[in-house]
Amino acid sequence: MKRSILALLALALLLPVSTRAADWPTKEGDFIARDVTFKSGETLAEVRLHYTTLGTPHRDAKGRIDNAVMVLHGTGGSGKNFLVPVFADELYGPGQPLDIGKTFVILPDNIGHGGSSKPSDGLRMAFPHYDYDDMVALQHRLLVEGLGVTRLKLILGTSMGCMHAFVWGETYPGFAERLAPFACNTVALAGRNRMWRKMAIDAIKADPAWMNGNYTTQPIAGIRAAADLQIIAGANPIALQAQYPTREAADKVLEQSFARMTSAYEANDALYYLDASRDYDPSPGLEKITVPVLWVNSADDFINPPELGLAERMVKRMPMARFVLIPASVETRGHGTHTSARFWKTDLAKLLSQ
């Protein structure tokens, strides 16, 4: 199962946990969005959007699905990220916040990811240069045209999905009754966050084996540099120091983590999904988000460092938003804390009761 690159390194570097896909009753499908025009002006006659679902849709007296929840994955991942035990076993069971006996859970693979259309399908660098607005627009088409969902009880998003949740709140106000964005900020993706992404992009492009995207074997030197950057960006320094206190231990886990990460990499796909955040900036329109919001970041997140103080300021501009900062510890997972539901499950239950 291909996971988010950052979620994968969190599982590889931090506390030992099962990474087995939970044995949940899932269904998978594909929706074909036709005649898609991207913000760049580029077009595709067809875009395939793969998705996984759990639970059964319930219809109200007017025939509308009224129990749907959408969960949005992070950069480089897929909807199947949310079948790992640290997420699924905490949320999908009887009496849990996303009890699939009552809830219809939708796990899309975004364009450029998982089983959906992506550069590596054949177009390579001729694939349209999608951004977050394009991705959210396609998610909307999947729901409305593909699944017949015109209202959501909740959008929960992690990392890139966190940013998508804010885009949803402004682009389609009220479509989701609640938002749960985990591990992101609501300003232009700039500063260090943009820098490490650009470093990873440049590393791949600088590898002679990349050949402007026309490689026959993966540009492994570029991928290694990009993977190393993402290991630093996603890790929890407190846990790493506690668990790997010697040079030998640190070197060994780094090599193991690199091996896992590179197996999940496809260079052209990575270039696209790392750059898709280039014009993200929901800050001008936050007042449009009037539904209840649970915004969770973690104090050990290199990508969204708490010392910037951004969330504490921005949350005040959304009338029903609440911000929670999870303290760093040897048990948190850096940026990947967003997928460990035990850290925020109680807060999610409170949001769903509103």
Side-chain angles (χ1 to χ4, degrees), residues 25 42 76 159 170 201-202 213 218 228 245 277 286:
E42 298 165 288
S159 191
E170 295 184 8
I201 291 168
D202 290 348
Q218 292 292 322
D228 284 344
S277 58
L286 289 176

Side-chain angles (χ1 to χ4, degrees), residues 10-203:
L11 291 171
L13 283 174
L14 301 179
L15 293 178
V17 296
S18 170
T19 60
R20 171 189 57 84
D23 187 20
W24 293 97
T26 60
K27 295 180 180 179
E28 297 187 46
D30 291 295
F31 165 67
I32 304 299
R34 304 189 188 280
D35 301 320
V36 179
T37 300
F38 296 82
K39 277 176 58 180
S40 63
E42 298 165 288
T43 62
L44 281 177
E46 293 185 350
V47 171
R48 181 183 68 259
L49 295 172
H50 189 73
Y51 60 89
T52 302
T53 64
L54 301 97
T56 304
H58 177 271
R59 297 185 181 274
D60 64 16
K62 295 183 179 180
R64 298 172 298 194
I65 295 173
D66 61 3
N67 68 333
V69 166
M70 182 168 64
V71 187
L72 298 173
H73 65 77
T75 300
S78 79
K80 292 190 173 86
N81 291 0
F82 304 110
L83 299 179
V84 294
V86 293
F87 188 93
D89 291 359
E90 297 281 346
L91 297 179
Y92 297 152
Q96 300 288 9
L98 302 182
D99 179 349
I100 60 172
K102 302 176 181 178
T103 307
F104 181 46
V105 179
I106 303 165
L107 311 175
D109 291 358
N110 281 294
I111 186 172
H113 294 73
S116 296
S117 297
K118 50 189 177 292
S120 61
D121 290 341
L123 287 178
R124 301 190 178 215
M125 297 303 291
F127 197 82
H129 291 76
Y130 60 84
D131 67 3
Y132 284 2
D133 292 335
D134 295 318
M135 298 171 92
V136 166
L138 284 165
Q139 293 162 12
H140 184 266
R141 289 190 65 176
L142 166 65
L143 292 175
V144 176
E145 300 174 28
L147 298 173
V149 173
T150 58
R151 184 85 167 175
L152 290 167
K153 303 295 289 183
L154 170 75
I155 292 176
L156 188 159
T158 64
S159 191
M160 179 180 71
C162 174
M163 292 183 273
H164 287 179
F166 284 113
V167 175
W168 261 97
E170 295 184 8
T171 307
Y172 305 104
F175 190 103
E177 296 173 6
R178 303 166 189 82
L179 300 175
F182 298 163
C184 71
N185 281 310
T186 57
V187 297
L189 200 147
R192 188 171 73 186
N193 198 351
R194 173 59 186 178
M195 288 178 182
W196 77 261
R197 294 168 193 261
K198 184 65 162 56
M199 290 174 190
I201 291 168
D202 290 348

Side-chain angles (χ1 to χ4, degrees), residues 176-322:
E177 296 173 6
R178 303 166 189 82
L179 300 175
F182 298 163
C184 71
N185 281 310
T186 57
V187 297
L189 200 147
R192 188 171 73 186
N193 198 351
R194 173 59 186 178
M195 288 178 182
W196 77 261
R197 294 168 193 261
K198 184 65 162 56
M199 290 174 190
I201 291 168
D202 290 348
I204 293 172
K205 288 185 174 181
D207 187 334
W210 180 61
M211 299 174 61
N212 295 315
N214 297 312
Y215 47 84
T216 54
T217 59
Q218 292 292 322
I220 194 64
I223 285 175
R224 174 142 205 158
D228 284 344
L229 284 163
Q230 290 186 263
I231 287 172
I232 292 296
N236 169 3
I238 297 174
L240 294 185
Q241 186 65 35
Q243 294 168 35
Y244 310 109
T246 67
R247 174 179 57 82
E248 292 81 7
D251 288 357
K252 181 178 180 180
V253 75
L254 177 62
E255 191 60 32
Q256 292 171 344
S257 302
F258 171 74
R260 292 188 182 99
M261 289 184 68
T262 53
S263 69
Y265 248 104
E266 204 291 326
N268 286 341
D269 291 349
L271 292 176
Y272 274 76
Y273 60 61
L274 285 168
D275 192 48
S277 58
R278 61 191 174 274
D279 54 5
Y280 168 78
D281 183 9
S283 60
L286 289 176
E287 286 78 9
K288 296 177 183 178
I289 301 176
T290 59
V291 298
V293 177
L294 170 65
W295 182 0
V296 178
N297 284 353
S298 56
D300 55 358
D301 189 346
F302 176 99
I303 295 174
N304 304 290
E307 56 266 32
L308 296 178
L310 295 171
E312 290 83 352
R313 296 198 303 271
M314 295 293 182
V315 71
K316 298 174 183 177
R317 295 176 51 195
M318 296 172 282
M320 297 187 69
R322 174 175 171 244

